[in-house]
Amino acid sequence: MSITIKGTGYYLPKKIVTNDELAEIVDTNDEWIVRRVGIKERRIATCETTEYMAAEAAKNAIKSAGINANEIDLIIVSTITGEKTAPTVAASVQSIIGAECPAFDMNSACSGFIFALDTAVSYIVRGGFRNILVIGAERVSKIIDWSDRSTCVIFGDGAGAFVVGPGNGYLSSILYSRGDSSVIDIPSYHGDSPFWTDEASGKPYIIMHGQETFKFAVTRMTEDINAVLEKAGLSACDVDYIVPHQANMRIIDFASKRLGIGMEKFFINLDKVGNTSSASIPIAAAQLNESGKLKRGDIVVFSAFGAGLSSAACVIKW
Ligand code: UT7
């Protein structure tokens, strides 16, 4: 026994920011961003908090599952951008939607949603949980250095959510961590303690070595997807859809060629949504589900990578 995905939902902030608008802030242009990354526009929160976006995505997932908020037994939120350390984003969602259940946050950066989904599987297998809300929610724009053109053009804000329950749809998974801040580093606020002496504490913004991240991403996507397919006793030709972390079109293109899985099987929304960190996969999966293309029994692979360093993949029988 594992899980089945009972419902999906997502929320995107109202404000659309185009590449031309970013060219007014930093030295960049639409042609470079489209050619090197594939993003045309992204959504940036103007007043929507991470908690608000998470709760809106959750409400949509609950509606799609055909249940009520009081039937949720557990809420797990993957985030690196909660507006507060406490209450957690998950606890805030519980309050906003009117659920009565335990709620906690997890952090494995951009790979976090799959780590959270994998955790939900363990609770379901343990027994006693009928409906678990798993959410990825990020206001990445608050940890961006808006003068750094190599990062501010690639990220966006949003949230995605699943309601999962007992079933047989989680065929295999892989979780990978390699503690390493040399490729991507996101320091947190280091406080004002009069006793703190570490002058080297950085500003709380994403510092990313793009090309190193790119190589890590292509390698991990390829290895992780091959590994989860093998564990599930499947091959590339059994795959109906791959929902990849929406970081860069060229990363997906390289992975597609190395895996021997055609680009038509990859669900892409990064042109309109950008990289929303751990919200990326649940937003894309919810949009794919909403499109009506997915059929019960389809084989769907999720694959994510990011800071940590971390990566994760899983195979779902829809
Ligand atoms: O979710 C976390 C995971 N993150 C990722 O997956 C990111 C992976 N990396 C990437 O997507 C790409 O490496 C970037 C999009 C970040 C950068 O693209 P790139 O093709 O690797 O560019 P680069 O860093 O090699 O830089 C090439 C040139 C440089 O100029 P010079 O030194 O050749 O004159 C950069 O300064 O492109 C320049 N550049 C830009 N030019 C216009 C970098 N950013 C920009 C920009 N607009 N926004």
Short mmCIF file of all heavy atoms in Angstrom, two decimals, residues 216-282:
data_model
loop_
_atom_site.label_atom_id
_atom_site.label_comp_id
_atom_site.label_asym_id
_atom_site.label_seq_id
_atom_site.Cartn_x
_atom_site.Cartn_y
_atom_site.Cartn_z
N PHE A 216 24.96 19.92 -12.40
CA PHE A 216 24.38 19.09 -11.34
C PHE A 216 22.96 18.67 -11.72
O PHE A 216 22.57 17.50 -11.58
CB PHE A 216 24.39 19.87 -10.01
CG PHE A 216 23.68 19.18 -8.88
CD1 PHE A 216 24.27 18.14 -8.18
CD2 PHE A 216 22.39 19.58 -8.49
CE1 PHE A 216 23.60 17.50 -7.15
CE2 PHE A 216 21.73 18.95 -7.45
CZ PHE A 216 22.33 17.90 -6.77
N ALA A 217 22.20 19.65 -12.23
CA ALA A 217 20.79 19.40 -12.57
C ALA A 217 20.64 18.34 -13.65
O ALA A 217 19.85 17.39 -13.50
CB ALA A 217 20.14 20.71 -13.02
N VAL A 218 21.41 18.47 -14.72
CA VAL A 218 21.29 17.52 -15.83
C VAL A 218 21.71 16.11 -15.37
O VAL A 218 21.03 15.11 -15.64
CB VAL A 218 22.13 17.96 -17.05
CG1 VAL A 218 22.11 16.90 -18.15
CG2 VAL A 218 21.63 19.30 -17.59
N THR A 219 22.81 16.05 -14.61
CA THR A 219 23.30 14.74 -14.13
C THR A 219 22.29 14.09 -13.21
O THR A 219 21.93 12.92 -13.37
CB THR A 219 24.64 14.93 -13.37
OG1 THR A 219 25.54 15.60 -14.23
CG2 THR A 219 25.23 13.61 -12.93
N ARG A 220 21.79 14.85 -12.22
CA ARG A 220 20.87 14.26 -11.25
C ARG A 220 19.54 13.87 -11.90
O ARG A 220 18.99 12.81 -11.60
CB ARG A 220 20.59 15.21 -10.07
CG ARG A 220 21.72 15.43 -9.10
CD ARG A 220 22.36 14.21 -8.49
NE ARG A 220 21.46 13.14 -8.10
CZ ARG A 220 21.86 11.94 -7.70
NH1 ARG A 220 23.16 11.65 -7.65
NH2 ARG A 220 21.01 11.02 -7.34
N MET A 221 19.03 14.74 -12.78
CA MET A 221 17.75 14.40 -13.43
C MET A 221 17.85 13.09 -14.17
O MET A 221 16.99 12.21 -14.07
CB MET A 221 17.37 15.50 -14.44
CG MET A 221 16.38 16.50 -13.92
SD MET A 221 15.83 17.59 -15.23
CE MET A 221 14.49 16.63 -15.92
N THR A 222 18.96 12.95 -14.91
CA THR A 222 19.14 11.74 -15.72
C THR A 222 19.28 10.51 -14.82
O THR A 222 18.59 9.50 -15.00
CB THR A 222 20.39 11.90 -16.62
OG1 THR A 222 20.33 13.17 -17.23
CG2 THR A 222 20.46 10.82 -17.66
N GLU A 223 20.18 10.62 -13.82
CA GLU A 223 20.42 9.46 -12.94
C GLU A 223 19.17 9.13 -12.11
O GLU A 223 18.82 7.95 -11.97
CB GLU A 223 21.60 9.74 -12.00
CG GLU A 223 22.92 9.71 -12.75
CD GLU A 223 24.12 9.92 -11.84
OE1 GLU A 223 23.98 9.89 -10.61
OE2 GLU A 223 25.22 10.12 -12.40
N ASP A 224 18.52 10.16 -11.58
CA ASP A 224 17.35 9.91 -10.70
C ASP A 224 16.20 9.27 -11.48
O ASP A 224 15.56 8.34 -11.00
CB ASP A 224 16.85 11.23 -10.08
CG ASP A 224 17.80 11.78 -9.01
OD1 ASP A 224 18.76 11.09 -8.66
OD2 ASP A 224 17.55 12.91 -8.55
N ILE A 225 15.94 9.79 -12.68
CA ILE A 225 14.80 9.25 -13.45
C ILE A 225 15.09 7.81 -13.87
O ILE A 225 14.23 6.93 -13.74
CB ILE A 225 14.46 10.16 -14.65
CG1 ILE A 225 13.90 11.50 -14.13
CG2 ILE A 225 13.44 9.48 -15.58
CD1 ILE A 225 13.65 12.56 -15.19
N ASN A 226 16.33 7.55 -14.32
CA ASN A 226 16.67 6.17 -14.66
C ASN A 226 16.52 5.27 -13.44
O ASN A 226 16.00 4.15 -13.52
CB ASN A 226 18.10 6.09 -15.21
CG ASN A 226 18.16 6.47 -16.69
OD1 ASN A 226 17.19 6.28 -17.43
ND2 ASN A 226 19.27 7.01 -17.12
N ALA A 227 16.97 5.76 -12.27
CA ALA A 227 16.93 4.94 -11.04
C ALA A 227 15.49 4.63 -10.62
O ALA A 227 15.18 3.48 -10.27
CB ALA A 227 17.66 5.66 -9.91
N VAL A 228 14.60 5.64 -10.65
CA VAL A 228 13.22 5.36 -10.18
C VAL A 228 12.46 4.47 -11.17
O VAL A 228 11.64 3.66 -10.76
CB VAL A 228 12.40 6.64 -9.86
CG1 VAL A 228 12.87 7.27 -8.56
CG2 VAL A 228 12.39 7.64 -10.99
N LEU A 229 12.78 4.63 -12.46
CA LEU A 229 12.11 3.76 -13.44
C LEU A 229 12.56 2.32 -13.23
O LEU A 229 11.73 1.40 -13.22
CB LEU A 229 12.43 4.22 -14.86
CG LEU A 229 11.69 5.49 -15.31
CD1 LEU A 229 12.15 5.92 -16.71
CD2 LEU A 229 10.18 5.30 -15.31
N GLU A 230 13.87 2.13 -13.01
CA GLU A 230 14.38 0.77 -12.80
C GLU A 230 13.76 0.16 -11.54
O GLU A 230 13.31 -0.99 -11.55
CB GLU A 230 15.91 0.82 -12.69
CG GLU A 230 16.52 -0.58 -12.79
CD GLU A 230 18.02 -0.57 -12.60
OE1 GLU A 230 18.67 0.43 -12.96
OE2 GLU A 230 18.51 -1.58 -12.05
N LYS A 231 13.73 0.96 -10.44
CA LYS A 231 13.14 0.46 -9.18
C LYS A 231 11.68 0.04 -9.37
O LYS A 231 11.20 -0.89 -8.73
CB LYS A 231 13.12 1.59 -8.13
CG LYS A 231 14.32 1.66 -7.23
CD LYS A 231 13.95 2.59 -6.08
CE LYS A 231 15.12 3.10 -5.33
NZ LYS A 231 14.72 3.99 -4.22
N ALA A 232 10.97 0.77 -10.24
CA ALA A 232 9.55 0.48 -10.46
C ALA A 232 9.35 -0.62 -11.49
O ALA A 232 8.21 -1.00 -11.79
CB ALA A 232 8.82 1.76 -10.90
N GLY A 233 10.46 -1.12 -12.06
CA GLY A 233 10.37 -2.17 -13.08
C GLY A 233 9.81 -1.64 -14.39
O GLY A 233 9.15 -2.37 -15.14
N LEU A 234 10.07 -0.35 -14.67
CA LEU A 234 9.56 0.27 -15.90
C LEU A 234 10.72 0.73 -16.76
O LEU A 234 11.85 0.84 -16.30
CB LEU A 234 8.69 1.48 -15.53
CG LEU A 234 7.44 1.21 -14.68
CD1 LEU A 234 6.83 2.51 -14.19
CD2 LEU A 234 6.41 0.41 -15.47
N SER A 235 10.41 1.05 -18.03
CA SER A 235 11.44 1.63 -18.89
C SER A 235 10.91 2.94 -19.46
O SER A 235 9.73 3.29 -19.28
CB SER A 235 11.81 0.65 -20.01
OG SER A 235 10.68 0.44 -20.81
N ALA A 236 11.80 3.64 -20.17
CA ALA A 236 11.47 4.98 -20.67
C ALA A 236 10.18 4.97 -21.50
O ALA A 236 9.38 5.90 -21.44
CB ALA A 236 12.63 5.51 -21.49
N CYS A 237 9.96 3.87 -22.25
CA CYS A 237 8.79 3.87 -23.14
C CYS A 237 7.46 3.71 -22.37
O CYS A 237 6.38 3.93 -22.92
CB CYS A 237 8.93 2.84 -24.25
SG CYS A 237 9.15 1.20 -23.61
N ASP A 238 7.55 3.34 -21.07
CA ASP A 238 6.31 3.23 -20.27
C ASP A 238 5.83 4.59 -19.76
O ASP A 238 4.71 4.71 -19.25
CB ASP A 238 6.56 2.33 -19.04
CG ASP A 238 6.89 0.90 -19.43
OD1 ASP A 238 6.19 0.36 -20.30
OD2 ASP A 238 7.87 0.34 -18.89
N VAL A 239 6.70 5.61 -19.86
CA VAL A 239 6.38 6.91 -19.25
C VAL A 239 5.39 7.69 -20.11
O VAL A 239 5.58 7.85 -21.32
CB VAL A 239 7.69 7.73 -19.09
CG1 VAL A 239 7.37 9.15 -18.59
CG2 VAL A 239 8.65 7.03 -18.14
N ASP A 240 4.31 8.17 -19.47
CA ASP A 240 3.35 9.02 -20.19
C ASP A 240 3.72 10.49 -20.06
O ASP A 240 3.64 11.24 -21.03
CB ASP A 240 1.93 8.77 -19.65
CG ASP A 240 1.46 7.37 -19.97
OD1 ASP A 240 1.32 7.07 -21.18
OD2 ASP A 240 1.27 6.55 -19.05
N TYR A 241 4.11 10.92 -18.85
CA TYR A 241 4.49 12.32 -18.64
C TYR A 241 5.64 12.43 -17.65
O TYR A 241 5.70 11.66 -16.68
CB TYR A 241 3.33 13.16 -18.08
CG TYR A 241 2.27 13.43 -19.12
CD1 TYR A 241 1.09 12.69 -19.12
CD2 TYR A 241 2.45 14.40 -20.09
CE1 TYR A 241 0.11 12.91 -20.08
CE2 TYR A 241 1.48 14.63 -21.05
CZ TYR A 241 0.32 13.89 -21.04
OH TYR A 241 -0.63 14.11 -21.99
N ILE A 242 6.52 13.40 -17.90
CA ILE A 242 7.51 13.78 -16.89
C ILE A 242 7.19 15.21 -16.48
O ILE A 242 7.01 16.08 -17.34
CB ILE A 242 8.95 13.66 -17.43
CG1 ILE A 242 9.25 12.20 -17.76
CG2 ILE A 242 9.95 14.24 -16.42
CD1 ILE A 242 10.68 11.89 -18.10
N VAL A 243 7.09 15.42 -15.18
CA VAL A 243 6.91 16.79 -14.66
C VAL A 243 8.24 17.17 -14.01
O VAL A 243 8.53 16.75 -12.89
CB VAL A 243 5.76 16.86 -13.64
CG1 VAL A 243 5.61 18.29 -13.11
CG2 VAL A 243 4.45 16.39 -14.27
N PRO A 244 9.07 17.94 -14.73
CA PRO A 244 10.39 18.28 -14.19
C PRO A 244 10.34 19.59 -13.41
O PRO A 244 9.44 20.41 -13.62
CB PRO A 244 11.22 18.47 -15.46
CG PRO A 244 10.25 19.02 -16.46
CD PRO A 244 8.89 18.44 -16.11
N HIS A 245 11.32 19.79 -12.54
CA HIS A 245 11.52 21.10 -11.91
C HIS A 245 11.71 22.12 -13.03
O HIS A 245 12.50 21.91 -13.95
CB HIS A 245 12.75 21.03 -11.01
CG HIS A 245 13.05 22.31 -10.31
ND1 HIS A 245 12.07 23.07 -9.72
CD2 HIS A 245 14.22 22.96 -10.09
CE1 HIS A 245 12.63 24.14 -9.17
NE2 HIS A 245 13.92 24.10 -9.38
N GLN A 246 10.94 23.22 -12.95
CA GLN A 246 10.88 24.17 -14.08
C GLN A 246 11.98 25.24 -13.92
O GLN A 246 11.69 26.40 -13.61
CB GLN A 246 9.50 24.83 -14.12
CG GLN A 246 8.34 23.84 -14.16
CD GLN A 246 8.16 23.17 -15.51
OE1 GLN A 246 8.29 23.80 -16.55
NE2 GLN A 246 7.85 21.88 -15.50
N ALA A 247 13.23 24.82 -14.14
CA ALA A 247 14.33 25.76 -13.91
C ALA A 247 14.85 26.38 -15.20
O ALA A 247 15.12 27.58 -15.25
CB ALA A 247 15.47 25.07 -13.17
N ASN A 248 15.03 25.55 -16.23
CA ASN A 248 15.65 26.05 -17.47
C ASN A 248 15.31 25.09 -18.60
O ASN A 248 15.53 23.88 -18.47
CB ASN A 248 17.18 26.15 -17.26
CG ASN A 248 17.90 26.81 -18.41
OD1 ASN A 248 17.59 26.57 -19.58
ND2 ASN A 248 18.86 27.66 -18.09
N MET A 249 14.81 25.62 -19.72
CA MET A 249 14.43 24.76 -20.87
C MET A 249 15.61 23.92 -21.34
O MET A 249 15.45 22.78 -21.76
CB MET A 249 14.04 25.68 -22.03
CG MET A 249 12.62 25.66 -22.53
SD MET A 249 11.57 24.35 -22.05
CE MET A 249 11.46 23.50 -23.56
N ARG A 250 16.83 24.52 -21.29
CA ARG A 250 18.00 23.79 -21.80
C ARG A 250 18.35 22.61 -20.90
O ARG A 250 18.84 21.59 -21.37
CB ARG A 250 19.19 24.74 -21.97
CG ARG A 250 18.97 25.75 -23.13
CD ARG A 250 20.21 26.58 -23.39
NE ARG A 250 20.59 27.34 -22.21
CZ ARG A 250 21.78 27.30 -21.62
NH1 ARG A 250 22.73 26.53 -22.12
NH2 ARG A 250 22.05 28.03 -20.56
N ILE A 251 18.10 22.74 -19.58
CA ILE A 251 18.34 21.60 -18.67
C ILE A 251 17.41 20.45 -19.06
O ILE A 251 17.81 19.29 -19.19
CB ILE A 251 18.09 22.00 -17.19
CG1 ILE A 251 19.15 23.00 -16.73
CG2 ILE A 251 18.04 20.77 -16.28
CD1 ILE A 251 18.94 23.54 -15.31
N ILE A 252 16.14 20.78 -19.29
CA ILE A 252 15.13 19.76 -19.63
C ILE A 252 15.47 19.12 -20.97
O ILE A 252 15.39 17.90 -21.14
CB ILE A 252 13.72 20.38 -19.62
CG1 ILE A 252 13.40 20.92 -18.20
CG2 ILE A 252 12.65 19.37 -20.06
CD1 ILE A 252 12.15 21.79 -18.11
N ASP A 253 15.92 19.95 -21.91
CA ASP A 253 16.28 19.46 -23.24
C ASP A 253 17.47 18.48 -23.17
O ASP A 253 17.43 17.40 -23.77
CB ASP A 253 16.63 20.69 -24.10
CG ASP A 253 16.57 20.37 -25.57
OD1 ASP A 253 15.68 19.60 -25.96
OD2 ASP A 253 17.43 20.85 -26.32
N PHE A 254 18.50 18.84 -22.39
CA PHE A 254 19.66 17.94 -22.22
C PHE A 254 19.22 16.63 -21.59
O PHE A 254 19.60 15.55 -22.03
CB PHE A 254 20.71 18.59 -21.30
CG PHE A 254 21.76 19.38 -22.04
CD1 PHE A 254 21.73 20.77 -22.05
CD2 PHE A 254 22.80 18.74 -22.71
CE1 PHE A 254 22.70 21.50 -22.71
CE2 PHE A 254 23.77 19.46 -23.38
CZ PHE A 254 23.73 20.86 -23.38
N ALA A 255 18.40 16.73 -20.52
CA ALA A 255 17.95 15.52 -19.81
C ALA A 255 17.13 14.64 -20.74
O ALA A 255 17.27 13.41 -20.76
CB ALA A 255 17.15 15.91 -18.58
N SER A 256 16.27 15.27 -21.55
CA SER A 256 15.43 14.53 -22.49
C SER A 256 16.30 13.70 -23.45
O SER A 256 16.05 12.51 -23.68
CB SER A 256 14.56 15.53 -23.26
OG SER A 256 14.18 15.03 -24.51
N LYS A 257 17.34 14.34 -23.97
CA LYS A 257 18.23 13.63 -24.93
C LYS A 257 18.96 12.49 -24.23
O LYS A 257 19.07 11.38 -24.75
CB LYS A 257 19.23 14.61 -25.54
CG LYS A 257 18.55 15.59 -26.49
CD LYS A 257 19.56 16.35 -27.35
CE LYS A 257 18.84 17.20 -28.38
NZ LYS A 257 18.25 18.42 -27.83
N ARG A 258 19.50 12.76 -23.01
CA ARG A 258 20.27 11.72 -22.31
C ARG A 258 19.39 10.53 -21.91
O ARG A 258 19.83 9.40 -21.88
CB ARG A 258 20.93 12.29 -21.05
CG ARG A 258 22.11 13.16 -21.40
CD ARG A 258 23.01 13.30 -20.20
NE ARG A 258 23.99 14.33 -20.45
CZ ARG A 258 24.80 14.79 -19.53
NH1 ARG A 258 24.74 14.33 -18.30
NH2 ARG A 258 25.68 15.72 -19.83
N LEU A 259 18.13 10.83 -21.58
CA LEU A 259 17.21 9.77 -21.14
C LEU A 259 16.60 9.02 -22.31
O LEU A 259 16.06 7.92 -22.15
CB LEU A 259 16.06 10.38 -20.32
CG LEU A 259 16.41 10.87 -18.91
CD1 LEU A 259 15.38 11.88 -18.43
CD2 LEU A 259 16.48 9.69 -17.94
N GLY A 260 16.65 9.65 -23.50
CA GLY A 260 15.99 9.05 -24.66
C GLY A 260 14.48 9.13 -24.53
O GLY A 260 13.75 8.26 -25.00
N ILE A 261 14.01 10.17 -23.83
CA ILE A 261 12.55 10.40 -23.68
C ILE A 261 12.23 11.72 -24.37
O ILE A 261 12.80 12.76 -24.01
CB ILE A 261 12.13 10.44 -22.19
CG1 ILE A 261 12.47 9.11 -21.50
CG2 ILE A 261 10.64 10.74 -22.06
CD1 ILE A 261 12.17 9.06 -20.01
N GLY A 262 11.36 11.68 -25.37
CA GLY A 262 11.07 12.86 -26.20
C GLY A 262 10.53 14.03 -25.40
O GLY A 262 9.84 13.85 -24.39
N MET A 263 10.83 15.25 -25.87
CA MET A 263 10.39 16.47 -25.18
C MET A 263 8.87 16.55 -25.06
O MET A 263 8.34 17.21 -24.17
CB MET A 263 10.91 17.71 -25.91
CG MET A 263 12.36 18.04 -25.62
SD MET A 263 12.63 18.43 -23.86
CE MET A 263 12.18 20.16 -23.82
N GLU A 264 8.14 15.86 -25.99
CA GLU A 264 6.68 15.94 -25.93
C GLU A 264 6.13 15.31 -24.65
O GLU A 264 4.99 15.58 -24.26
CB GLU A 264 6.05 15.30 -27.20
CG GLU A 264 6.16 13.79 -27.31
CD GLU A 264 7.53 13.27 -27.73
OE1 GLU A 264 8.43 14.08 -28.03
OE2 GLU A 264 7.73 12.03 -27.73
N LYS A 265 6.94 14.48 -23.97
CA LYS A 265 6.47 13.87 -22.72
C LYS A 265 6.73 14.74 -21.50
O LYS A 265 6.29 14.43 -20.39
CB LYS A 265 7.12 12.50 -22.54
CG LYS A 265 6.68 11.51 -23.60
CD LYS A 265 6.72 10.09 -23.13
CE LYS A 265 6.03 9.21 -24.15
NZ LYS A 265 6.27 7.80 -23.89
N PHE A 266 7.50 15.82 -21.68
CA PHE A 266 7.81 16.71 -20.55
C PHE A 266 6.75 17.81 -20.47
O PHE A 266 6.50 18.50 -21.46
CB PHE A 266 9.20 17.34 -20.72
CG PHE A 266 10.33 16.37 -20.48
CD1 PHE A 266 10.68 15.43 -21.45
CD2 PHE A 266 11.05 16.40 -19.29
CE1 PHE A 266 11.72 14.53 -21.24
CE2 PHE A 266 12.08 15.50 -19.06
CZ PHE A 266 12.42 14.57 -20.05
N PHE A 267 6.14 17.98 -19.29
CA PHE A 267 5.18 19.07 -19.12
C PHE A 267 5.96 20.34 -18.75
O PHE A 267 6.71 20.35 -17.78
CB PHE A 267 4.15 18.75 -18.03
CG PHE A 267 3.13 19.85 -17.88
CD1 PHE A 267 2.06 19.93 -18.75
CD2 PHE A 267 3.28 20.83 -16.91
CE1 PHE A 267 1.12 20.95 -18.65
CE2 PHE A 267 2.35 21.87 -16.80
CZ PHE A 267 1.27 21.92 -17.68
N ILE A 268 5.78 21.38 -19.53
CA ILE A 268 6.55 22.62 -19.36
C ILE A 268 5.60 23.79 -19.08
O ILE A 268 4.65 24.00 -19.83
CB ILE A 268 7.34 22.97 -20.65
CG1 ILE A 268 8.11 21.77 -21.20
CG2 ILE A 268 8.24 24.19 -20.42
CD1 ILE A 268 9.36 21.39 -20.52
N ASN A 269 5.87 24.54 -18.01
CA ASN A 269 5.15 25.80 -17.81
C ASN A 269 6.11 26.94 -17.46
O ASN A 269 5.69 28.03 -17.11
CB ASN A 269 4.05 25.67 -16.74
CG ASN A 269 4.63 25.46 -15.35
OD1 ASN A 269 5.83 25.48 -15.14
ND2 ASN A 269 3.76 25.29 -14.36
N LEU A 270 7.43 26.65 -17.55
CA LEU A 270 8.39 27.64 -17.07
C LEU A 270 8.36 28.93 -17.88
O LEU A 270 8.74 29.99 -17.37
CB LEU A 270 9.81 27.05 -16.98
CG LEU A 270 10.60 26.68 -18.24
CD1 LEU A 270 11.35 27.87 -18.79
CD2 LEU A 270 11.58 25.57 -17.91
N ASP A 271 7.91 28.87 -19.13
CA ASP A 271 7.82 30.09 -19.94
C ASP A 271 6.90 31.12 -19.29
O ASP A 271 7.11 32.32 -19.41
CB ASP A 271 7.36 29.76 -21.37
CG ASP A 271 6.07 28.95 -21.41
OD1 ASP A 271 5.82 28.16 -20.48
OD2 ASP A 271 5.30 29.11 -22.37
N LYS A 272 5.89 30.66 -18.56
CA LYS A 272 4.92 31.57 -17.96
C LYS A 272 5.04 31.68 -16.44
O LYS A 272 4.49 32.59 -15.83
CB LYS A 272 3.49 31.12 -18.29
CG LYS A 272 3.16 31.17 -19.76
CD LYS A 272 1.70 31.56 -19.94
CE LYS A 272 1.33 31.84 -21.37
NZ LYS A 272 2.00 32.99 -21.94
N VAL A 273 5.73 30.71 -15.82
CA VAL A 273 5.73 30.64 -14.35
C VAL A 273 7.14 30.84 -13.76
O VAL A 273 7.29 31.31 -12.63
CB VAL A 273 5.13 29.29 -13.89
CG1 VAL A 273 5.16 29.12 -12.38
CG2 VAL A 273 3.68 29.16 -14.38
N GLY A 274 8.17 30.49 -14.53
CA GLY A 274 9.54 30.56 -14.01
C GLY A 274 9.79 29.47 -12.98
O GLY A 274 9.01 28.53 -12.85
N ASN A 275 10.89 29.63 -12.25
CA ASN A 275 11.29 28.64 -11.25
C ASN A 275 10.74 29.07 -9.89
O ASN A 275 11.20 30.03 -9.30
CB ASN A 275 12.82 28.58 -11.24
CG ASN A 275 13.36 27.62 -10.19
OD1 ASN A 275 12.64 27.15 -9.32
ND2 ASN A 275 14.65 27.35 -10.26
N THR A 276 9.75 28.34 -9.41
CA THR A 276 9.12 28.68 -8.13
C THR A 276 9.62 27.76 -7.00
O THR A 276 8.89 27.48 -6.05
CB THR A 276 7.57 28.60 -8.23
OG1 THR A 276 7.22 27.28 -8.69
CG2 THR A 276 7.00 29.64 -9.17
N SER A 277 10.86 27.30 -7.13
CA SER A 277 11.49 26.46 -6.11
C SER A 277 10.60 25.25 -5.79
O SER A 277 10.15 24.56 -6.71
CB SER A 277 11.82 27.29 -4.87
OG SER A 277 12.53 26.53 -3.93
N SER A 278 10.29 25.00 -4.53
CA SER A 278 9.57 23.74 -4.22
C SER A 278 8.09 23.78 -4.61
O SER A 278 7.40 22.77 -4.51
CB SER A 278 9.71 23.38 -2.75
OG SER A 278 8.91 24.20 -1.95
N ALA A 279 7.62 24.94 -5.11
CA ALA A 279 6.24 24.98 -5.62
C ALA A 279 6.18 24.54 -7.08
O ALA A 279 5.08 24.29 -7.62
CB ALA A 279 5.67 26.39 -5.48
N SER A 280 7.33 24.44 -7.70
CA SER A 280 7.41 24.20 -9.14
C SER A 280 6.68 22.92 -9.60
O SER A 280 5.83 22.96 -10.49
CB SER A 280 8.91 24.13 -9.50
OG SER A 280 9.12 23.80 -10.81
N ILE A 281 7.01 21.80 -8.97
CA ILE A 281 6.42 20.53 -9.40
C ILE A 281 4.91 20.45 -9.09
O ILE A 281 4.12 20.09 -9.97
CB ILE A 281 7.22 19.33 -8.85
CG1 ILE A 281 8.51 19.26 -9.68
CG2 ILE A 281 6.42 18.03 -8.89
CD1 ILE A 281 9.41 18.12 -9.41
N PRO A 282 4.45 20.81 -7.87
CA PRO A 282 3.00 20.71 -7.66
C PRO A 282 2.19 21.69 -8.51
O PRO A 282 1.06 21.36 -8.89
CB PRO A 282 2.84 20.98 -6.16
CG PRO A 282 4.08 21.68 -5.73
CD PRO A 282 5.17 21.13 -6.62
#
